[in-house]
Each structure stands twice: as C-alpha cells, then as structure tokens.
Amino acid sequence: QVQLVESGGGLVQAGGSLRLSCAASGPTFRTYTMGWFRQAPGKEREFVARISNGGATTYYASSVKGRFTISRDNAKNTAYLQMNSLKPEDTAVYSCAARLTPASEWHSWGQGTQVTVSS
C-alpha cells in the first residue's frame, strides 16, 4: 500500500487551467501505475487518465483527451494532472490512485481534491 495526498484543486472559470498533484509516500512509487479519477455530485466515479510506472505510456478518457495531461516525477514521488480548457462539466472531486500491474485493482486512493469550474 502507498499513501496518496492530492492538492491543487480550486475554483476556476471555464476555459481556465489547474494542475493537480498527487504526492505518494514510500520508496516504491516508481513501481506503481498511477491514475486519476473523478466523481461529480450524484454521479459514479469515472476514470480520467493513467500513466505507466516509468511514464512512457498514458491513456485518457475521451472526455478529457486533448485537454488534460497526466505526468509523473518519480524522483519526487509525485504524479500530476494538468487540466486545460476546463469546462463546467469537469466539476468534480478528483482522486489519484495506484496499482501494481495493469491487471490489478486500484488498491490505494487519496482523499480527493475539489475542482469547481464556473461558467
């Protein structure tokens, strides 16, 4: 298990940008695939993006592709989500998660950070 703490959320106008950070504890961060998820009020949690342990491979939900960028700095034990061209429908609590292999469950979750996009 790894402990994850998100930061960087806030209130932004439509068309604006935010960068979320996910700080991980422990020396094994570089072994985990990292992901970002979000949950809007009254809706189920949905996948946003993921990045492989070395950072070479990324994958995005169609709703954010071209606007969001996931990255990581293994030397800093931190994953990031750069969000550009934000829309009101991006409003949600954003959480990061970690898993050991592509076939494993997302086993570690952060507490989430609120992102609110005003129109």
Side-chain angles (χ1 to χ4, degrees):
Q1 294 279 343
V2 59
Q3 293 190 341
L4 305 173
V5 178
E6 302 93 339
S7 61
L11 174 63
V12 64
Q13 288 188 331
S17 298
L18 282 174
R19 189 177 81 154
L20 306 182
S21 298
C22 173
S25 64
T28 58
F29 174 75
R30 64 182 66 248
T31 66
Y32 297 110
T33 293
M34 298 299 297
W36 284 96
F37 294 77
R38 66 187 182 186
Q39 187 167 19
K43 295 187 177 181
E44 293 187 354
R45 183 169 59 197
E46 64 172 351
F47 166 81
V48 174
R50 68 174 183 260
I51 187 167
S52 59
N53 56 355
T57 304
T58 58
Y59 184 78
Y60 298 91
S62 58
S63 58
V64 307
K65 194 171 184 179
R67 300 188 297 122
F68 291 10
T69 302
I70 189 171
S71 62
R72 66 191 296 161
D73 185 337
N74 285 345
K76 295 183 178 180
N77 277 15
T78 303
Y80 304 96
L81 185 68
Q82 177 67 44
M83 305 185 295
N84 298 329
S85 302
L86 283 161
K87 305 174 182 180
E89 52 263 43
D90 294 318
T91 295
V93 175
Y94 284 70
S95 300
C96 61
R99 68 183 186 189
L100 277 173
T101 71
S104 64
E105 296 291 325
W106 296 97
H107 56 74
S108 297
W109 292 85
Q111 82 289 350
T113 185
Q114 177 70 46
V115 171
T116 303
V117 184
S118 63
S119 57

